[in-house]
Amino acid sequence: MIEITLPDGSVKEVENGTSAMDIAKGISEGLARNVLAAKVNGNVVDAGLPITENATLQLLTWNDKDGKSTMWHSSAHLMAEAIEFFYPGVKLAIGPPVKNGFYYDVDFMDYTITEKDLEKIEQKMKELAKQKNEFIRKEVPKAEAIEYFKGKEDPYKLELLEDLEDGSITFYTQGEFTDLCRGPHIPHTGVIKAIKLTSIAGAYWRGDEKNKQLTRIYGITFPKASELTQYLENVELAKARDHRKLGKELDLFTFSQKVGQGLPLWLPKGAALRERLENFLKKAQKAGGYDQVITPHIGSKELYVCSGHYAKYGEDSFQPILTPDEGEEFLLKPMNCPHHCEIFKSRPRSYRDLPVRFAEFGTVYRYEQSGELHGLTRVRGFTQDDAHIFCTQDQVKDEFKKVIDLVLYIFKTLDFQNFKAQISLRDPNDPDKYIGSNENWDKAEQAIIEASAEKELPTVVEYGEAAFYGPKLDFMVEDALGREWQLGTIQVDYNLPERFELEYTGSDNQKHRPVMIHRAPFGSMERFVAVLLEHCAGDFPLWLTTDQVAILPISDKYNDYSQKLLQLLNNYDIRGFVDDRNEKVGKKIRESELNKIPFMLIIGEQEAANNTVSVRQRGENGDIGSMSVESFADLVGKAIEIELAVNV
RNA sequence: GCCGGUGUAGCUCAGUGGUAGAGUGCUUCCUUGGUAAGGAAGAGGUCACGAGUUCAAUUCUCGUCAUUGGCUCCA
C-alpha cells in the first residue's frame, strides 16, 4: 500500500500501482471525466500512469494551466495524425503547446499547403477526436526508436533522438499515429471537443535561420464548443483595440509608402497628445533633478567608432551620410548616449556635481529588419524619452530607486497595473563576455536587486540577459494581442564612460570614472503611445485626451452661444470643439460617444437663456444635469487634479 | 532578411477577362431639433506600381513596393 496526499491535505491509502485516474474515479465519475493529467510529486504525468510510491497528487483539469498545456500538446499529436492522413510521407519536426494553443512544425516536402487546407485538417481532427482514441505510452530502447524513424525517413526526429539518453525515450500512440514524445498526454482524444486551426507560418528548424524553413501550423482546442466561441470573440475584441486600428480611427498617426516603411507620421491630434505626454514627463523630470539637453540627429562617424556602435551595427544599419568633403562621414544617430557623453565632457566635473542627469526627447533611427516592423511598437525612426545619469558607483542604487519611482508614477497615473519588471544579470557561465570589473558588476547587480525589492516590484530575474556593458531593469507590458513589449528601461553602463574616458575629480583630488545609467521610462514615445492606446482602448484619461469636451448645439440658432462657450472653456485650459453640423443632437451625441470624448455639452434654448451648460458624460453616467460654465470648468479641473495626484 | 496572406472611393469592405459597386464620411439642399443614426441630391477611384499573356487585364502570370500573421533579430 502507498499513501497519496491530496491538495487539501487529506491522505488516501491505495494499492501500489494505482493511477491518478483510478483515484479520480474513486472520488467521482464526473471528476474522472474531466481529468486531463496529474501532478505527482510536482511532476506532470499521464493520469493513467501507475503510482508506485508515497506521493502528493493533484488531479489536473482544464482549469489548471498544466491541464490546458497537456491537452494542447495532445492536440498537436492529433493534428499531426490528420496531416499524415492527407499528406503521407511528410516529415514532422516538433509540436509543443504554447501560451494559447499549440503548433506543429512540419516539413511538407513537395506538397504545398495553404490556409484553405486548414479546414479539411480541422474536420479530420474532429473526426479522429470522436473516436476517443487512447494515448498509449510506450518506453522504447534508443536503437528501436532510431530504427522506427529511419523507417519513416524523418531527419528531424532522428536529430532529436541524438540528444536523448537510452532508457529515457518514450513513444505515444493514438489511433494510427505514433510520435516520439516525453508526454504527458490526455487519456483519450474524445476530450477534445472544439478545434480551430488559426494560422500557418514559416519557422526555422530549431529556431535558426540557417536551417531549413518548415511550415508551422497553429491551432487551439477546447473541451467545450462554447469556450471556443468565447475565445474567438475575445480575439475579435482584442483586434478592436489594436493601436493600428485605433490610431487611424482617432487620427493620431499614419504611414506613407513614399516616406518609407517604419517611419511614422504623427497627425495633429497625435502630435498634440504626444506633446502632452512629453510635458507630463518633463515636469516630473524637472522635479527629479534632470536637466534638459538637445542634440543633433546626426553625428560624425568618429563618434560611433568611439562608442563602439559602428563596429557592432554599422553594416546592418543605415549607412553613413557622405558630404562634398572626401572622407567625411556622418551617421544618423541610433542612440543619444554618445552625444550626452560629449556633453558630460564639455567641462571638468567634480564629485560635488554628481549625479548629473541629462534628459532629451531624442529621435533615433535604427534599421530594423523589414519583417519586424509593427505599427508604432517597432519602427525605424522613433523618439526616446532618454536620459543619462552620470554618478558614482555608490550612487547607483539610489538613482535606480529614483528612476523606479518615476516609472511607477507614470504607470500609476496611466493605470498600468499589469506589468512585470525583468532584472537582467550576467550569464554566470560566460563571465568574459562582459566589460567592467567584477567588483563593480557585483555592486551594480546587487543595487538593482535591492532597489527593486525595496520598491516591491513584481520582478523576474533573467541570467545572461544583461547587455555586455552592464545589468539592467526592464518594465514589460502586454499588448492587446498578448504580445509582450518592453517599455521603460534602466541600464547600467560601464562601457561608454570607459570609451569616452569620462572623468570627475573626487574628494581625494584624483580622477575617477563615473558610472553611466541609461533610462527611458516610456521606452519610446511611439511604443508607449501604442501600448497606452491598446491599454485604454483609446479612452484616454481626461488630462491627456485630444478633445475633452464636445459642444453640441441643438440647432444653428445656438451656434454663436456655443462658440462663446468654447472661448470661455479655452480660458480654463479645457480643450474641445463645437459640432455645428446640421444634424440632430442624437446623432452628434452618438458620434461624440464613438469618438470617446469624455464630456458633451448640449446647448439649446434653456442654456443660452440662462448662461448654463447641460452636461453629458461619456459612457454609463450619461446626462448629469445643468450647471454654470464655471461649475463645469471646476468639475473638469478637479477630475484632472485627481488623475494626476498619484502617490507612488 | 525568410515563409504565407493582403493591397478596389477619405474609412470599412463587396465584385468582375469586356475600363467598377455598397455602407459610412464629404459637399449642397430640405428640415430647426433636447441626450446614441431625420430626408434628398451630388462629387469622389490610373482597382498599389511595373512588365508579360490576351483582340481585351482591376481580374490570369511574374517582378517591385507597402501592409499583415509568423520565424529570425532587437543597441
Side-chain angles (χ1 to χ4, degrees), chain A residues 20 68 87 91 117 125 131 151 159 210 224 271 275 305 322 332 334-335 347 365 371 393 418 436 527 533:
Chain A
K68 280 192 176 74
Y87 309 95
K91 311 304 177 204
D117 299 311
M125 284 174 74
Q131 294 173 3
E159 196 177 322
K210 291 187 191 77
K224 275 189 198 161
E275 196 181 3
V305 170
L322 304 178
L332 274 171
M335 60 262 308
R347 64 160 201 203
Y365 301 89
Q393 180 67 49
N418 295 320
R527 183 175 289 177
L533 254 175

Side-chain angles (χ1 to χ4, degrees), chain A residues 124-150:
Chain A
K124 187 69 190 174
M125 284 174 74
K126 283 178 191 161
E127 206 177 289
L128 292 168
K130 277 199 184 129
Q131 294 173 3
K132 298 191 180 179
N133 293 320
E134 276 183 61
F135 281 85
I136 300 158
R137 174 192 160 95
K138 187 183 168 197
E139 293 182 15
V140 184
K142 187 161 178 174
E144 194 181 311
I146 291 174
E147 210 47 46
Y148 178 80
F149 283 108
K150 272 191 176 158

Side-chain angles (χ1 to χ4, degrees), chain A residues 86 153 156 159 229 271 286 369 448 584 587 598 600 624:
Chain A
F86 290 112
E153 291 176 26
Y156 307 104
E159 196 177 322
T229 313
K286 197 169 183 189
Q369 288 189 31
I448 296 177
K584 292 201 169 175
K587 177 155 182 166
M600 284 152 263
I624 56 175

